[in-house]
Amino acid sequence: MTGAPAGTSERPGSLAGITVVDLSRVLGGPYATQILGDHGARVLKIEPPQGDETRAWGPPFYREDIAWYYAGVNRNKEVLTLDLRSQEGQAKLRELLVEADVLVENFKPGTLEKWGLGYDVLSVDFPRLVHCSVTGFGEDGPLGGMPGYDAVAQAMSGLMSVNGTPETGPTRIGMPAVDMITGLNAVNGIMMALWERSVSGRGQRVETTLFDCALSVMHPHMPNLFGTGKPAARTGNDHPNIAPYSTYATGEGDLFIAVGNDRQFARLCERIGVPQLVEDARFATNADRSVHREELRAELEAAMLAFEAVALGEALMADGVPAGPILDSAQAAAHPHTAHREMIIEMDDGYRGVASPVKLSRTPATYRISPGGADAVHPVQTTADPQPVSD
């Protein structure tokens, strides 16, 4: 697929008419503003004179001065260079905010205030502006004002403690989950504030932090803690509450099976030729299976030696049993269902990206500006030091 899905490139998106001034850098903030841009908002990405540091986070490089990392979260944006530490840069930002609906920033708390651009000032000068602030830990409290990064939030929220096995020890999730979740929550908050503004006529501040967002997705580990008083143990790919719900070896390849009820368990056993396991007292209910999960694993993997992971996964899914082979990123990108869902987009300049997962029937996402493309604006840059960000 090139550009946008056929017939959609000229349709206004659901957020057409909304202007976003994006002061954020690195990941959480830029991911949020890319989502807004995909759905029709005009996004003005304001970079410091030295640029967003992720331009250099390669190889691989999309262009000579743009890493694929940067390209992954910065399409559908017009790029301007401003030195906000200068009076000229601050004045230009104010000019842009006159017509803006949303400001997104992830500066370390206190930075914008130092420049006279904090929420307390901007909310008076631009009362309809929705000001979204993404930080590591918030402005106050024991960790208030501290810089935040995805892996640190994973470590301090408990996420890392439940990822991995007893042998590996606490393990970072293999993608920046907290940054991405924070970006999604930023979009949620922005949309809530825009909706409320349609009633009140007033903007407000939207705040989301990496620490808060990391805690918010600790399910079921926080509920289990509240119920038992005991911190969760690392269980690898095993679900702490459900069995069989893990990765299992077949005769060719590994298969993830996610059985959620007794009916699915019976269908699994029938498909792999061991229906007698349903009558085994050790496996009669989910509670029984969870207690005897290692014996269950041995029985299932012995039966699955006669199967191949991809074919068995397809057969189980057809039976109503959630299952799927473990694919790498290249296999996932090339999967026929990825193509069917139009989840990979391409532009004429060689850009490829993952499409918006939100499918709207009348106002679908469109892909109009490639990262750093010809439609982006790049005024002459000057030298300045970067300011700390929160992701």
Side-chain angles (χ1 to χ4, degrees), residues 150-297:
D150 175 272
V152 175
Q154 286 193 36
M156 296 188 67
S157 65
L159 276 174
M160 204 175 288
S161 76
V162 299
N163 194 43
T165 67
E167 292 73 30
T168 65
T171 304
R172 183 181 72 86
I173 298 170
M175 46 76 68
V178 176
D179 278 339
M180 307 295 270
I181 292 163
T182 304
L184 290 171
N185 281 331
V187 172
N188 288 338
I190 289 167
M191 299 311 299
M192 292 175 196
L194 288 173
W195 172 256
E196 194 280 336
R197 190 185 71 171
S198 71
V199 177
S200 70
R202 300 172 56 198
Q204 61 182 296
R205 188 181 186 207
V206 175
E207 181 193 16
T208 188
T209 78
L210 302 184
F211 184 71
D212 294 354
C213 290
L215 286 173
S216 75
V217 295
M218 277 288 288
H219 186 85
H221 308 291
M222 285 297 184
N224 288 348
L225 170 67
F226 302 149
T228 67
K230 299 178 181 178
R234 288 178 293 280
T235 57
N237 286 340
D238 286 7
H239 194 288
N241 298 64
I242 312 171
Y245 198 113
S246 187
T247 304
Y248 299 89
T250 72
E252 183 179 342
D254 290 335
L255 182 70
F256 200 97
I257 299 173
V259 165
N261 55 55
D262 295 340
R263 182 178 65 258
Q264 291 175 350
F265 179 63
R267 290 175 178 174
L268 166 65
C269 294
E270 183 69 30
R271 171 59 63 178
I272 63 175
V274 286
Q276 68 275 13
L277 294 186
V278 176
E279 306 301 326
D280 191 315
R282 297 173 298 171
F283 313 134
T285 67
N286 177 70
D288 297 321
R289 294 191 292 272
S290 293
V291 171
H292 299 283
R293 64 178 66 224
E294 289 309 314
E295 299 100 307
L296 178 59
R297 173 179 292 278

Side-chain angles (χ1 to χ4, degrees), residues 43-384:
V43 179
L44 305 176
K45 179 174 171 61
I46 311 302
E47 297 191 15
Q50 74 282 355
D52 186 320
E53 52 263 52
T54 60
R55 286 175 175 266
W57 285 14
F61 284 93
Y62 160 60
R63 294 182 180 171
E64 183 177 351
D65 64 337
I66 299 178
W68 275 102
Y69 189 107
Y70 174 94
V73 289
N74 283 294
R75 66 177 175 236
N76 283 335
K77 301 178 186 182
E78 302 167 42
V79 180
L80 299 131
T81 301
L82 292 180
D83 184 354
L84 294 179
R85 300 189 303 178
S86 70
Q87 292 184 349
E88 295 82 358
Q90 294 164 16
K92 179 61 178 177
L93 175 62
R94 284 180 165 275
E95 290 178 18
L96 296 174
L97 292 178
V98 170
E99 301 297 330
D101 299 281
V102 178
L103 172 67
V104 178
E105 52 90 4
N106 62 347
F107 285 105
K108 183 178 178 181
T111 301
L112 287 181
E113 286 75 9
K114 180 177 62 177
W115 297 333
L117 297 170
Y119 175 71
D120 57 339
V121 173
L122 296 183
S123 62
V124 174
D125 296 344
F126 307 98
R128 287 179 54 82
L129 184 69
V130 172
H131 183 142
C132 178
S133 176
V134 178
T135 66
F137 299 95
E139 294 182 351
D140 48 26
L143 297 174
M146 297 296 169
Y149 292 85
D150 175 272
V152 175
Q154 286 193 36
M156 296 188 67
S157 65
L159 276 174
M160 204 175 288
S161 76
V162 299
N163 194 43
T165 67
E167 292 73 30
T168 65
T171 304
R172 183 181 72 86
I173 298 170
M175 46 76 68
V178 176
D179 278 339
M180 307 295 270
I181 292 163
T182 304
L184 290 171
N185 281 331
V187 172
N188 288 338
I190 289 167
M191 299 311 299
M192 292 175 196
L194 288 173
W195 172 256
E196 194 280 336
R197 190 185 71 171
S198 71
V199 177
S200 70
R202 300 172 56 198
Q204 61 182 296
R205 188 181 186 207
V206 175
E207 181 193 16
T208 188
T209 78
L210 302 184
F211 184 71
D212 294 354
C213 290
L215 286 173
S216 75
V217 295
M218 277 288 288
H219 186 85
H221 308 291
M222 285 297 184
N224 288 348
L225 170 67
F226 302 149
T228 67
K230 299 178 181 178
R234 288 178 293 280
T235 57
N237 286 340
D238 286 7
H239 194 288
N241 298 64
I242 312 171
Y245 198 113
S246 187
T247 304
Y248 299 89
T250 72
E252 183 179 342
D254 290 335
L255 182 70
F256 200 97
I257 299 173
V259 165
N261 55 55
D262 295 340
R263 182 178 65 258
Q264 291 175 350
F265 179 63
R267 290 175 178 174
L268 166 65
C269 294
E270 183 69 30
R271 171 59 63 178
I272 63 175
V274 286
Q276 68 275 13
L277 294 186
V278 176
E279 306 301 326
D280 191 315
R282 297 173 298 171
F283 313 134
T285 67
N286 177 70
D288 297 321
R289 294 191 292 272
S290 293
V291 171
H292 299 283
R293 64 178 66 224
E294 289 309 314
E295 299 100 307
L296 178 59
R297 173 179 292 278
E299 296 281 1
L300 295 178
E301 290 189 334
M304 288 192 292
L305 280 175
F307 295 87
E308 184 269 332
V310 173
L312 179 57
E314 292 176 354
L316 286 171
M317 288 284 273
D319 291 339
V321 179
I326 306 227
L327 306 180
D328 63 27
S329 56
Q331 291 170 321
H335 197 283
H337 201 69
T338 302
H340 176 76
R341 295 296 301 169
E342 297 185 332
M343 281 305 297
I344 305 296
I345 61 143
E346 297 182 359
M347 292 184 174
D348 293 339
D349 65 353
Y351 168 77
R352 298 182 73 209
V354 178
S356 171
V358 179
K359 312 294 188 183
L360 300 180
S361 61
R362 289 189 299 101
T363 56
T366 58
Y367 311 97
R368 308 171 304 282
I369 306 174
S370 60
D375 293 324
V377 181
H378 296 280
V380 176
Q381 298 182 357
T382 58
T383 303

